[in-house]
Structures are given as C-alpha cells and as structure tokens.
Amino acid sequence: YEGTWAQNANASFVRGNFSTLSPEASFVVHPPLGKWLIATGMELTGPASSWGWRLAVALAGIATVFLLCRLVWRLFPSPLLVGLAGLFLAIDGVGITESRIGLLDGFIGFFALAAVYCIVRTHRAPAGRHRCRCPSPQGRLAPLDD
C-alpha cells in the first residue's frame, strides 16, 4: 500500500527503521501495476542495486519495439517498413530515456501499443473466427452473414 511518511523519515529508513511509515494511505497518482513491475526487478536484484528498478522498464521498452514490429507487419507486410519502424523506436531518445531511468511511462507505452495490436489483430481476423454462429431453423449451426 502507499503509506504516508513522517517528517525526516529518510535517515531512519536508510538505517533500516521502517516504523515511520503510517498505516494510513496517502494520495496515489500512479496505478500500482507499474510500481509492482519495478518492485519485481528490485526483488530479483536486491534493493541496493540500481539495476533492479530499471530492469522491468528496460524489458518493457525492448518488448515495445518487438510489439511495434509485429503491429507494422500486420498493417503493412513489408520488411522495409517493419525494419524502419523498429529502428526508429529503438533509437528514439524518449523511449531510451524512459527505459534507462525507470519511468512508469514505459509501461504505459507498452500496454497502449499492446491494446492497439489486439484491436488490429481482432479486426483483421478471418470472418467468423471471433463471432459466434447462430443455430438455423433446421437445428444446424449457420455462419453469420457479413
């Protein structure tokens, strides 16, 4: 949970005393999923490692480049366009910075792109693949008309 810290709590926190954290929740402006993903990286590498809180966002940044390539391939099946899209995102300064310093915005980009990919994939699915079939008056299943 997001707790409220007492005044001058940093010094006691560094010494290992966590008793200054109150049980009352504070105002939270970010959803917890991104924080949980960053905490997972910190759990793997230890809280003292600066790699831990960067790990999950860096992996999300790499996955975003891969997901963008998949999306571009679905929209325009051209190896040149796929390569350019992946290259442009991979060398984009904002994406690199967000992945490098562990900002929560990297997760927003990944999940937003994943949502767009799912919409495009569903929209371009073969007819009838994601629809149910209705029984005909004779009792047989008949495909829906487009």
Side-chain angles (χ1 to χ4, degrees):
Y1 69 94
E2 299 291 333
T4 305
W5 291 93
Q7 292 290 346
N8 300 324
N10 288 342
S12 62
F13 184 78
V14 169
R15 288 191 306 266
N17 180 7
F18 308 114
S19 64
T20 58
L21 181 63
S22 74
E24 298 172 10
S26 68
F27 179 71
V28 181
V29 294
H30 297 293
L33 178 61
K35 293 179 181 181
W36 293 341
L37 292 171
I38 290 174
T40 303
M42 291 175 70
E43 187 70 29
L44 292 174
T45 61
S49 172
S50 64
W51 289 96
W53 53 271
R54 295 177 172 140
L55 180 66
V57 186
L59 292 176
I62 293 168
T64 303
V65 172
F66 175 74
L67 193 59
L68 178 68
C69 291
R70 296 278 310 201
L71 176 65
V72 171
W73 183 257
R74 282 218 172 253
L75 294 174
F76 314 103
S78 164
L80 176 65
L81 290 177
V82 170
L84 284 174
L87 176 71
F88 289 158
L89 183 59
I91 64 172
D92 178 43
V94 174
I96 292 171
T97 302
E98 288 177 353
S99 294
R100 187 186 68 192
I101 62 175
L103 292 177
L104 293 172
D105 298 343
F107 296 123
I108 294 172
F110 173 75
F111 287 121
L113 190 63
V116 170
Y117 177 75
C118 290
I119 290 169
V120 167
R121 187 176 170 129
T122 302
H123 178 69
R124 295 193 173 228
R129 182 173 171 195
H130 58 278
R131 294 190 218 160
C132 65
R133 296 179 354 166
C134 300
S136 67
Q138 293 83 18
R140 293 187 224 139
L141 291 177
L144 291 170
D145 294 330
D146 283 339

